[in-house]
């Protein structure tokens, strides 16, 4: 196959192939050579023109998965949901969605890669927290949330859920993960933002069963 003349299409092709290989072989077991070999004729130089290494490809794959999350758009368009319900729906999806299971597979490398961990923390504050903050403000206005400090609360939720309670960053057993969610349930309830209820705990149990061994 000749080199794609359109950079965006080339990048998407690299990310498609890399996603497939990361899921089939695992991130650690996939090499840049594997990615090039599966590109259908795209040269090694063309791949390295867009990405310096495998880490950059993983970052781009994870970023694309977040940005292409259609559920966020659907929630934004929902007129009959309170702010609290919107946050809960996103939280449940983060525990049960297929894309989130893929993100967990990719994110296992975060435990030993400080650069990727820093990127995960940054995105929690700059991308996820503003979205949660918007829904906290909506919830305060519609009466479903009693917390006024929307920015601080949103950043706390994003960091706790995306970093502290992320088993790909902090290795935990099923029991420990559930314990973390129980603690966050008490914490958020005390702040007047009851986003972790029985339905969310049920999703947490399912998530733990799917990804954790014990």
């Amino acid at each position: 196959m000749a080199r794609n003349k359109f950079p965006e299409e080339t990048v998407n092709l690299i990310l498609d192939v890399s996603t497939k290989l990361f899921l089939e072989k695992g991130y650690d077991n996939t090499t840049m050579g594997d990615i090039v070999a599966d590109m259908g004729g795209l040269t090694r130089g063309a791949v390295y023109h867009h990405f310096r290494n495998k880490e950059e490809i993983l970052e781009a794959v994870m970023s694309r998965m977040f940005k292409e999350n259609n559920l966020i758009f659907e929630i934004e368009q929902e007129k009959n949901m309170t702010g609290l319900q919107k946050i809960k729906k996103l939280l449940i999806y983060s525990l049960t969605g297929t894309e989130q299971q893929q993100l967990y597979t990719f994110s296992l490398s975060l435990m030993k890669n400080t650069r990727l961990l820093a990127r995960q923390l940054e995105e929690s504050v700059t991308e996820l927290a503003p979205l949660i903050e918007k829904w906290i403000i909506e919830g305060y206005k519609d009466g479903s949330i009693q917390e006024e400090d929307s920015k601080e609360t949103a950043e706390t939720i994003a960091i706790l859920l995306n970093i502290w309670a992320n088993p790909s960053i902090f290795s935990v057993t099923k029991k420990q993960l559930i314990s973390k969610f129980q603690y966050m349930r008490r914490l958020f309830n005390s702040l007047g933002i009851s986003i972790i209820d029985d339905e969310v705990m049920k999703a947490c149990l399912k998530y733990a069963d799917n990804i954790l061994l014990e």
Side-chain angles (χ1 to χ4, degrees), residues 32-190:
M32 288 294 284
D34 294 330
I35 294 171
V36 172
D38 220 34
M39 293 297 298
L42 197 68
T43 65
R44 179 179 292 267
V47 175
Y48 277 99
H49 175 74
H50 295 285
F51 300 100
R52 290 180 296 178
N53 50 48
K54 192 175 63 167
E55 282 185 12
E56 286 193 354
I57 294 178
L58 176 62
E59 288 183 36
V61 166
M62 295 175 68
S63 179
R64 185 175 71 165
M65 289 180 115
F66 180 82
K67 291 176 181 177
E68 291 183 351
N69 187 344
N70 293 326
L71 181 70
I72 293 176
F73 176 78
E74 293 173 9
I75 294 175
E76 285 280 57
Q77 301 304 307
E78 181 59 58
K79 304 299 182 182
N80 299 317
M81 293 177 67
T82 65
L84 181 66
Q85 289 171 331
K86 289 180 179 181
I87 299 173
K88 281 176 52 180
K89 186 168 184 177
L90 182 63
L91 177 54
I92 290 172
Y93 173 78
S94 73
L95 293 168
T96 60
T98 301
E99 292 88 348
Q100 302 308 313
Q101 302 297 322
Q102 293 177 345
L103 276 174
Y104 170 75
T105 300
F106 299 147
S107 297
L108 287 173
S109 60
L110 290 173
M111 288 186 290
K112 49 190 174 183
N113 190 309
T114 55
R115 176 183 169 187
L116 290 176
L117 179 57
R119 176 68 178 273
Q120 181 86 343
L121 179 59
E122 179 185 4
E123 289 188 352
S124 296
V125 175
T126 61
E127 295 188 29
L128 181 59
L131 181 65
I132 295 174
E133 180 184 4
K134 179 180 179 181
W135 293 340
I136 289 176
I137 293 172
E138 289 182 14
Y140 186 72
K141 290 179 179 178
D142 63 39
S144 62
I145 292 173
Q146 284 72 55
E147 175 57 48
E148 292 186 75
D149 298 324
S150 56
K151 185 176 188 300
E152 293 78 5
T153 302
E155 290 180 356
T156 299
I157 291 172
I159 292 172
L160 287 179
L161 290 173
N162 217 29
I163 304 295
W164 182 68
N166 186 341
S168 66
I169 297 176
F170 295 106
S171 183
V172 292
T173 64
K174 292 180 182 180
K175 183 178 180 180
Q176 289 170 335
L177 179 62
I178 293 168
S179 179
K180 285 189 175 186
F181 269 79
Q182 289 172 336
Y183 171 79
M184 289 189 293
R185 181 177 189 173
R186 296 192 299 271
L187 174 63
F188 296 148
N189 285 350
S190 71

Side-chain angles (χ1 to χ4, degrees), residues 95-96 101 104 174 203 205-213:
L95 293 168
T96 60
Q101 302 297 322
Y104 170 75
K174 292 180 182 180
L205 286 169
K206 181 179 179 181
Y207 179 74
D209 285 337
N210 285 340
I211 67 170
L212 300 175
L213 298 177

